[in-house]
Amino acid sequence: LGMLEVNAIKWSPSGQLLASCSDDYTAKIWSMKHESCVQDLVEHTKEIYTIKWSPTGAGSSNPSANLVLASASFDATIRVWDPETGKCCHVLDKHSDPVYSVAFSSDGQYLASGSFDRCLHIWSVKDGSLIKTYRGNGGIFEVCWNAKGTKVAACFSNHTVAVIDLRM
């Protein structure tokens, strides 16, 4: 998987693809059919800390929606990738510090991101727009959605956890 540390690996919902991300600034998509790297995603400019597959496409509860992969980097961006083509669909660049966590809503329509800039952002996966921001009192290490997609929780470096109700 390269010479530098691999930070995360995640299976796609179908179990046919495995994504990895690394300190070499790349994410890779591996095919179980071909037993090889099928996409080398090389647009980040710093280490990629984590990756997440959308809960969409084959093998998911949203099979008619397209599968995408999100990568979160110390370059303060999140990139949303098309695993079929390897093309970057969106660059989500409203954070000002390393992004440590990303999480898709259960329907795959929204992406939450947490950064050391103390901001939790909610993005539209469809067009990459920033929908909502919550600013806390510490860097964010992890974000996660509830099953209904109505709330996002975040844990902060100041020993707090916040739950944000997103129902409008």
Side-chain angles (χ1 to χ4, degrees):
L1 292 179
M3 300 305 285
L4 295 173
E5 187 172 305
V6 174
N7 293 318
I9 53 173
K10 299 281 188 315
W11 288 105
S12 67
S14 70
Q16 292 301 306
L17 299 173
L18 182 69
S20 64
C21 66
S22 172
D23 283 351
D24 69 2
Y25 310 175
T26 71
K28 295 182 182 347
I29 298 174
W30 307 83
S31 166
M32 295 304 102
K33 285 180 187 165
H34 302 53
E35 295 185 8
S36 64
C37 177
V38 291
Q39 301 294 348
D40 201 2
L41 312 175
V42 297
E43 294 182 26
H44 280 291
T45 58
K46 287 193 177 167
E47 296 86 345
I48 303 174
Y49 187 72
T50 195
I51 46 178
K52 290 279 170 59
W53 290 101
S54 58
T56 51
S60 78
S61 52
N62 306 293
S64 59
N66 290 336
L67 178 69
V68 294
L69 179 72
S71 57
S73 173
F74 288 175
D75 67 11
T77 70
I78 301 110
R79 291 179 184 269
V80 178
W81 306 90
D82 178 339
E84 291 287 313
T85 64
K87 291 214 177 349
C88 181
C89 309
H90 305 296
V91 179
L92 312 179
D93 61 2
K94 302 288 190 241
H95 285 294
S96 57
D97 279 312
V99 182
Y100 280 94
S101 183
V102 286
F104 285 94
S105 59
S106 59
D107 61 9
Q109 292 187 41
Y110 302 101
L111 183 71
S113 62
S115 166
F116 227 66
D117 65 5
R118 303 176 177 194
C119 289
L120 164 72
H121 291 324
I122 307 295
W123 309 87
S124 163
V125 174
K126 186 175 170 182
D127 64 11
S129 62
L130 180 61
I131 294 173
K132 199 172 188 87
T133 296
Y134 173 82
R135 188 169 176 81
N137 294 314
I140 300 174
F141 290 114
E142 186 74 28
V143 295
C144 67
W145 292 84
N146 69 340
K148 290 182 179 174
T150 56
K151 294 176 183 164
V152 175
C155 63
F156 295 84
S157 61
N158 67 339
H159 312 290
T160 60
V161 172
V163 178
I164 297 97
D165 192 327
L166 297 171
R167 290 174 288 198
M168 315 275 179

